Amino acid sequence: MSEQDARGLARGLTNYGDKDFSVYLRNSFAASMGYSREVLKKPIVGIANSFSGFNNCHRHFPEMLEAVKRGVLLGGGLPIEFPTISLGEVFLSPTSLKFRNLMSMDTEEMIRAQPMDAVVLMGGCDKTVPAQLMGAASADLPAIQIVAGPMMTSRYGEERLGACTDCRRFWGKYRAGEVSTEQINDIEGRLATTAGTCAVMGTASTMACIAETLGMSLPGTAAIPAVHADRLRAAEATGLAAARMIDNPIRPSEIITEKSVENALRVLLALGGSTNAIIHLTAIAGRLGIAVSLERLNALSDETPVLVNLKPVGSNYMEDFFFAGGVGAVLRELKPLLHLDCRTVTGDTLGDRLAEDAGYVDRKVIASAEAPLEEEGGLVALFGNLAPRGAILKRSAADRSLFEKEGRAIVFNSLADLSERIDDPDLDVAADDILVLQNAGPRSDSGMPEAGYLPIPKKLSSKGVRDMIRVSDARMSGTAFGTIVLHVAPEAAVGGPLALVRTGDRIKLSVKDKTISLLVDDEELQRRKVAFKPSVQPASERRGYDRIYAEQVLQADEGCDFEIMQPVKA
Ligand code: FES
């Protein structure tokens, strides 16, 4: 048997210059773990487990892991778990996005280097899902993902609470003096009370729905609550499906295609999903040489309705979405717009899946295509002299009265500057100004944090101002809301036009025209450009991963992946 045809433990041998010795040594060391000879002849399903004590969202993974293993055994495979790094959203500094590419590299290399015939990816918290899909796409071994599933909601008095839209809602009230310190301390203990990912259509839930739409996870699994018994059954079914992929291999490159990526964009728009998802989907597709253009996003957005009434855009939570019909119900409404010939991990096509009985759909949570929540998609890309390569606005979570507006720019040149001045009672700011944050993009020292949701200055929030236009090269949490223009590319740190904005300049937003413009004449902009001095620490003064990141990270419109991780051109 050639090395290429080898299965199970015989795959990818450690090189000692003597193949038979390598087999002998590997069998001997594998036997030391208590496996019988019979078991060691089985094909292997690796299980990439991103459990971590620093990841609350994955706290139930030990139980899910057992269910995945049971499924693999049922399918005749040998399940072998291996750890990868994990990205617990709120435990990472400066921001989890900085480590998404590291996790993708870890996942890819461990899939490739270790002997396995297929792999189950156990992810969930925001960046873990795209990181695993990026790694699996590059490794291109048959792979299937099972996500953590969302948290259940909790209660505070009569209010239903779910991380993390309500985290922000109550923090805003606290800043405005409507909630006391005692109350906010109480609320803090009730926002996130079970295992699982954030309870709204934030980044984690959006990415789970995207993974299911792409065909990389089993139908119906994205929205099952983390603590529901169905999630364990889904984990078992995932293990079984992975074992079946060994004899019927379907590779990520056969599943993640131009067509399935377009389907995923449609679903993202119909969900009113997270702005982060556009960066992640671009990065996943990019690993297979598939470009996601923001112009195409706009074309799809013009004809894809918002169907899902979930926070932060609507009023419900992920557990409601699950009981309302989940991703399947959304896909059925979008059916005429979708490419139905896309293959999935089961071997079936999307069309096969949608030919099955729809089951119950709660129209209060998932609207029909005939009576959508909004006629146009949740996200829109803006272009103009302020964002030549694009910026993103989540229009479904924004205040429509601000969509066609010109205002005075109030500029903060860094996150430190923002936190120092935003609540200064002497800050010259009015409700119809436009807040601008510079140097928070991927190449900035802050590494593109979720800081685009600039707080409303206290002097305005205390007077009842709830939304203002905010513009930055940062990201925004998928659980946040407001008229927030994000991902401005090129970013300020590399001298993009955002770096040239000064307090007092006029900025014009037109969602109708899909533009964001800096109303300063070209000559003056040219003068400012000549005077521009980068404020980032040069890559040569950094070391390790920080240096690789500084040298390699691409702009937001390219998915913030690393240049070296792109496929080699033939
Ligand atoms: Fe993990 Fe929100 S913190 S999904």
Side-chain angles (χ1 to χ4, degrees), residues 55-58 87-91 124-128 149 151 163-164 196-199 202-205 477 479:
N55 194 335
N56 59 295
C57 299
H58 297 187
L87 307 176
E89 185 61 24
V90 300
F91 297 99
C125 192
D126 281 24
K127 312 300 178 290
T128 61
M151 289 179 208
C164 221
T197 49
C198 286
T203 306
S205 299
S477 163
T479 61

Side-chain angles (χ1 to χ4, degrees), residues 119-373:
V119 62
V120 173
L121 311 163
M122 290 179 64
C125 192
D126 281 24
K127 312 300 178 290
T128 61
V129 173
Q132 289 186 331
L133 291 178
M134 290 159 73
S138 295
D140 212 21
L141 188 80
I144 179 168
Q145 191 166 49
I146 175 86
V147 296
M151 289 179 208
M152 300 297 284
T153 53
S154 169
R155 288 281 189 282
Y156 177 68
E158 306 221 318
E159 295 242 28
R160 200 173 167 203
L161 294 187
C164 221
T165 304
D166 296 325
C167 315
R168 291 169 204 289
R169 188 163 60 87
F170 279 101
W171 191 251
K173 286 186 178 201
Y174 175 60
R175 279 178 56 83
E178 295 166 22
V179 160
S180 69
T181 305
E182 199 182 25
Q183 285 173 314
I184 201 76
N185 286 340
D186 207 1
I187 289 162
E188 183 188 280
R190 295 171 189 232
L191 284 163
T193 52
T194 75
T197 49
C198 286
V200 297
M201 192 51 81
T203 306
S205 299
T206 306
M207 289 312 300
C209 296
I210 282 179
E212 186 178 325
T213 304
L214 284 171
M216 288 298 296
S217 51
L218 287 180
T221 57
I224 305 168
V227 295
H228 196 296
D230 275 1
R231 179 140 300 283
L232 295 176
R233 283 185 274 273
E236 184 187 289
T238 299
L240 178 60
R244 288 188 173 149
M245 286 171 98
I246 295 170
D247 286 328
N248 304 292
I250 306 168
R251 295 178 186 278
S253 57
E254 297 169 79
I255 295 172
I256 303 169
T257 62
E258 241 169 77
K259 286 182 179 177
S260 70
V261 169
E262 193 157 302
N263 287 345
L265 282 170
R266 293 260 191 209
V267 166
L268 165 62
L269 293 162
L271 296 173
S274 164
T275 46
N276 282 316
I278 189 73
I279 290 181
H280 297 322
L281 189 56
T282 303
I284 296 163
R287 290 295 178 97
L288 293 164
I290 302 164
V292 173
S293 102
L294 294 180
E295 285 85 356
R296 184 69 186 140
L297 174 80
N298 277 347
L300 297 176
S301 197
D302 284 347
E303 51 177 45
T304 308
V306 176
L307 299 174
V308 177
N309 181 5
L310 244 61
K311 290 186 180 217
V313 170
S315 53
N316 297 291
Y317 295 87
M318 279 303 285
E319 66 201 62
D320 306 314
F321 182 59
F322 169 62
F323 291 113
V327 175
V330 177
L331 290 171
R332 275 189 187 85
E333 293 307 315
L334 296 177
K335 194 172 170 183
L337 301 173
L338 299 176
H339 302 287
L340 299 176
D341 54 345
C342 295
R343 292 182 83 195
T344 73
V345 279
T346 62
D348 289 343
T349 64
L350 179 60
D352 296 333
R353 171 184 179 180
L354 298 185
E356 286 167 18
D357 178 28
Y360 170 72
V361 179
D362 182 347
R363 292 289 173 212
K364 293 190 293 303
V365 181
I366 303 171
S368 69
E370 288 75 43
L373 298 175

Side-chain angles (χ1 to χ4, degrees), residues 13-81:
L13 291 172
T14 317
N15 196 349
Y16 295 109
D18 176 346
K19 185 166 163 273
D20 293 339
F21 175 73
S22 299
V23 173
Y24 154 78
L25 201 64
R26 181 173 284 179
N27 281 337
S28 163
F29 282 28
S32 81
M33 292 187 273
Y35 294 116
S36 66
R37 277 187 170 250
E38 210 46 47
V39 165
L40 291 179
K41 284 185 198 143
K42 300 269 182 207
I44 294 172
V45 174
I47 306 170
N49 183 7
S50 56
F51 174 81
S52 161
F54 285 110
N55 194 335
N56 59 295
C57 299
H58 297 187
R59 120 163 112 88
H60 57 315
F61 272 18
E63 196 182 22
M64 263 174 64
L65 176 65
E66 289 312 308
V68 172
K69 286 183 171 174
R70 194 162 64 232
V72 174
L73 291 170
L74 278 172
L78 170 61
I80 299 187
E81 163 210 359

